[in-house]
């Protein structure tokens, strides 16, 4: 069949654009420093049994390595627990986020620390924390008629002011 | 309207079919009017410019806005347009008008049931609601009638597709050596895509959500039903888009004064949509726990290749319009643009829609990039994107197409072409403002789907300007869109008062490069359907299998929200009590706010 030469050129350029996009996204995923994606590493659990869970039963931040911390967060209508989440500056924090009821979102405003929170699933995301400061956390998925009030706070404090992780 | 070619109109030749098309359009436009009203309420509410409903009702408004516009408006317009296209391009009446009436009735009944169930959310006393938004993610639960209405609607669309395939088979028996006319080709490939896409939502609704809402099963797996939704949720956007493409490929070149550039390339484009629309849905779930990164990567790659048919369309449409302009005496590298019929609202509406689709395509490419998506996921950026695509490329093309088609369905001229022209320009301007404000707000992290994106513990920081400025921009844009919608509906309503006229018929010229020199395999619907199914199986078998293996068909447990109030009067009383206590507390809070 007849294809006009300009159309062939356009087709070629379009394919080049597409391959270019795939290449840059791939570089972002596996290059250095890689942007890690939410995957299927987390456990599954019964949202009605969260209170008995060894970690989510009393959510909070724990030290798990030299400068590595684990933050267990429960999202429920219409709050995050703990609130605020307090972590020391210049560390690597892995957030484990799950829901006690419906689907929520967990997004640290102004950063790419962002995940869906699905009941039954544990979202696992590892974040490099830099300077001290306060960041808002929003639930970005509609979760019921009080959704607009669902927010939290991430407090990044200087390492010498950090008192061990009990946020309350 | 422009002077017709003097030919008999569609309604002259096929009065019964024209009546079906008009009825489908009527339902579409009623839904459009209501959806637009709910839209402007949201634009004013979430920006805190004007709030006259409680924020808890915002989500009823949002659910109705989504369902009425992207299910009822778009799909009723689609079935009307497709019925016109099938009858016109095969040049034969429907095989059995009773079947045609039956699917339209089923779709209408389903829409009314689902629509009323949503709107009852405003009346707390009834105890029926479906504030679950367009995506109805479990374990948020709607009243069973919400799901039942959706199911009836879907069955209606399936019968519609079967009706059109039946027309094709009947036509084919009489024309065994002819190529499928292009308009019918669009309809058939689109409906094959629809059959495949709706498997996901049909399984989610019929096997899980409806029985669950009726209390027949105790739990569902939220990740599974969500994944099944997005199995349907991405191809449905192409289902909205295909009527616009049908108009761009087969009507726009004619209005521009020319002919379609290439018929074979058009066929390639529609086959690509059939093949690639479905195995991409996981790109809506880049941030979902429980789905492996590799599956997300596959969806990302497929999505990027799905850009190809739209990029090819951009070429073909612009080339066809340029050809039309040169036929009208246009010259020069860009000077031909001046020769186009810019005073025709049908032409200008479709061109502005196409221009905005290009912008929407670019923001879509960003959404598709799975790592940069982390910055924009579920922010206001996303509705900013799809108000350019479905909200303008699709909706504005449908309105513009109506200006062209309506006289041929009614034998009445359009009430006012200048008002039509003003209407499409106002839509474009309003959307430019609203969508820009939404995109920028999204980059600052402001979430979508919330009644009050104003938080107690922090403020959104902006790189330039302020959130307040963006809110004003968004509200002005939303108001202009509502005005434009009213102008459109009023123009059509007043057209009904025009006297009937003869000779308003329009003919569509064949393509410059016809179908005859393209491979016949392009018309092999069975082959393309089979390949599409294989691609879907490849993209979905493993992720769905992994979800079921990890957390079971019915999930690891959990309750439905809100706690069902349908049959349990104790629960009803308890909930009302809680609600009134909540309302009292809110009043106290309000008083304190005033005092402070």
């Amino acid at each position: 069949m007849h294809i006009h030469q300009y159309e062939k050129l356009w087709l070629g350029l379009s394919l080049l654009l597409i391959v270019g996009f795939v290449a840059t996204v791939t570089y972002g995923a596996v290059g250095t420093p890689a942007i890690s994606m939410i995957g299927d590493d987390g456990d599954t659990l019964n949202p009605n049994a969260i209170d008995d869970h060894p970690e989510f039963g009393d959510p909070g931040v724990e030290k798990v390595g030299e400068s590595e911390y684990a933050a267990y967060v429960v999202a429920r209508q219409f709050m995050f627990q703990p609130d605020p989440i307090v972590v020391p500056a210049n560390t690597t924090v892995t957030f484990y986020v799950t829901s006690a009821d419906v689907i929520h979102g967990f997004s640290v405003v102004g950063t790419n620390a962002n995940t869906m929170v699905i009941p039954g699933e544990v979202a696992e995301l590892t974040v490099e924390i830099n300077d001290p400061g306060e960041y808002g956390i929003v639930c970005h998925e509609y979760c019921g008629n009080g959704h607009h009030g669902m927010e939290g706070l991430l407090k990044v404090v200087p390492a010498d002011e950090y008192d061990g992780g009990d946020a309350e | 309207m422009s002077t017709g070619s003097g030919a008999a109109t569609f309604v002259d030749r096929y009065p019964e079919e024209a009546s079906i098309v008009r009825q489908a359009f009527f339902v579409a436009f009623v839904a459009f009017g209501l959806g637009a009203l709910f839209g402007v309420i949201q634009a004013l509410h979430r920006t805190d410019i004007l709030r006259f409903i409680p924020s808890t009702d915002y989500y009823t408004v949002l659910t109705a806005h989504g369902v009425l516009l992207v299910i009822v408006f778009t799909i009723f317009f689609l079935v009307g347009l497709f019925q016109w296209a099938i009858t016109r391009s095969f040049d034969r009446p429907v095989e059995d008008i009773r079947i045609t009436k039956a699917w339209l009735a089923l779709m209408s009944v389903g829409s009314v049931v689902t629509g009323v169930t949503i709107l009852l959310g405003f009346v707390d006393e009834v105890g029926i609601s479906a504030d679950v938004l367009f995506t109805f993610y479990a374990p948020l639960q709607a009243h069973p009638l919400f799901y039942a209405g959706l199911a009836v609607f879907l069955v209606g669309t399936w019968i519609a597709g079967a009706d059109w395939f039946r027309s094709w088979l009947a036509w084919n028996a009489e024309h065994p050596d002819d190529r499928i006319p292009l308009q019918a080709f669009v309809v058939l490939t689109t409906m094959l895509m629809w059959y495949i896409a709706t498997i996901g939502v049909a399984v989610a609704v019929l096997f899980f959500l409806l029985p669950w809402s009726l209390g027949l099963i105790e739990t569902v797996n939220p990740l599974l039903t969500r994944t099944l939704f997005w199995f349907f949720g991405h191809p449905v956007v192409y289902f909205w888009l295909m009527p616009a493409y049908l108009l761009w490929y087969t009507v726009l070149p004619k209005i521009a004064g020319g002919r379609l550039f290439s018929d074979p390339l058009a066929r390639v484009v529609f086959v690509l949509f059939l093949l690639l629309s479905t195995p991409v849905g996981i790109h809506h779930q880049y941030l979902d726990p429980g789905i492996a990164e590799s599956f997300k990567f596959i969806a990302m790659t497929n999505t990027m290749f799905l850009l190809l048919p739209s990029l090819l369309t951009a070429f073909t449409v612009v080339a066809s319009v340029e050809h039309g302009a040169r036929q009208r005496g246009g010259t020069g590298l860009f000077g031909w643009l001046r020769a186009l019929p810019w005073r025709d609202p049908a032409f200008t509406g479709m061109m502005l829609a196409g221009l905005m689709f290009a912008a929407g395509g670019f923001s879509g490419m960003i959404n598709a990039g799975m790592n940069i998506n982390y910055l924009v996921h579920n922010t206001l950026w996303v509705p900013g994107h799809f108000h350019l695509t479905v909200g303008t490329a699709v909706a504005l093309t449908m309105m513009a197409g109506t200006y062209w088609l309506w006289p041929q369905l009614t034998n009445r001229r359009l009430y006012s072409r200048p008002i039509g022209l003003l209407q499409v320009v106002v839509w474009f301007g309003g959307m430019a403002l609203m969508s820009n404000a939404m995109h920028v707000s999204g980059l600052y992290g402001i979430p979508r789907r919330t009644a009050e994106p104003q938080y107690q513990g922090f403020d959104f920081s902006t790189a330039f300007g302020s959130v307040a400025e963006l809110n004003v921009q968004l509200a002005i844009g939303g108001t202009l869109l509502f005005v434009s919608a009213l102008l459109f509906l009023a123009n059509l309503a007043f057209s009904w008062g025009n006297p009937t006229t003869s000779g308003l018929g329009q003919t569509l010229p064949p393509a410059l490069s016809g179908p005859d020199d393209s491979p016949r395999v392009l018309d092999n619907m069975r082959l393309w359907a089979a390949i599409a199914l294989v691609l879907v199986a490849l993209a979905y078998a493993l992720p769905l299998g992994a979800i079921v293996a990890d957390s079971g068909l019915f999930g690891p447990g959990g309750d439905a929200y809100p706690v069902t109030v349908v049959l349990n009067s104790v629960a009803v009383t308890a909930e009302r009590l809680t609600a009134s206590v909540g309302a009292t507390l809110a009043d106290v809070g309000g008083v304190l706010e005033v005092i402070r």
Side-chain angles (χ1 to χ4, degrees), chain B residues 171-190:
Chain B
W171 171 86
N172 198 42
E174 294 169 14
H175 306 79
D177 297 324
D178 287 9
R179 300 301 293 260
I180 303 173
L182 183 59
Q183 286 192 326
F185 188 90
V186 178
V187 171
L188 299 179
T189 48
T190 302

Side-chain angles (χ1 to χ4, degrees), chain A residues 1-19 21-30 34-49 77 97 99-125 134-153, chain B residues 55-56 59 63 131-133 135 137-140 221-223 226 261-262 264-265 268 286-293 295-297 300-301 304-308 311-316 362 365 368-379 443-461 513 517-519 522 546-547 550-551 556-562:
Chain A
M1 82 190 180
H2 171 72
I3 301 178
H4 195 280
Q5 76 180 79
Y6 286 159
E7 197 153 19
K8 283 183 187 155
L9 181 66
W10 180 265
L11 179 66
L13 290 174
S14 299
L15 282 170
L16 195 65
L17 178 78
I18 289 167
V19 171
F21 276 137
V22 172
T24 57
V25 172
T26 306
Y27 177 75
V30 300
I35 298 164
S36 70
M37 305 265 307
I38 309 290
D40 61 348
D41 305 328
D43 293 332
T44 59
L45 76 177
N46 182 341
N48 283 355
Q77 291 178 329
V97 194
S99 165
D101 40 47
V102 299
I103 294 182
H104 297 279
F106 174 90
S107 151
V108 181
V109 174
T111 76
N112 64 354
N114 193 350
T115 184
M116 296 304 301
V117 185
I118 299 177
E121 309 286 334
V122 177
E124 189 180 323
L125 64 159
E134 288 192 353
Y135 299 85
I137 296 173
V138 296
C139 169
H140 58 57
E141 186 54 84
Y142 167 67
C143 57
N145 61 17
H147 166 58
H148 43 273
M150 184 162 170
E151 60 173 298
L153 201 62
Chain B
S55 283
T56 48
Y59 305 103
T63 307
D131 298 341
V132 290
L133 309 194
T135 45
Y137 295 139
L140 287 174
N221 183 335
L223 180 59
R226 177 178 160 87
F261 193 70
S262 165
L265 256 293
V268 170
Y286 285 152
L287 272 66
D288 279 18
I291 298 178
E293 189 171 349
F295 300 141
K296 294 171 179 172
F297 187 86
M300 181 276 293
T301 313
M304 291 299 181
F305 278 94
L306 195 44
L307 288 172
L308 187 63
L311 288 166
L312 291 178
T313 298
F315 181 92
T316 307
F362 286 116
M365 292 173 198
M370 63 181 191
N371 15 45
I372 203 167
N373 183 272
Y374 277 70
L375 276 175
V376 294
H377 176 82
N378 269 1
T379 66
L443 290 180
Y444 299 150
I446 299 177
R448 64 184 285 201
R449 294 187 147 182
T450 174
E452 300 178 15
Q454 292 87 24
Y455 294 91
Q456 309 293 320
F458 64 95
D459 292 315
F460 294 101
S461 54
S513 170
D517 61 340
S518 67
L522 280 174
I547 291 168
D550 280 353
S551 45
D559 299 322
Y561 297 86

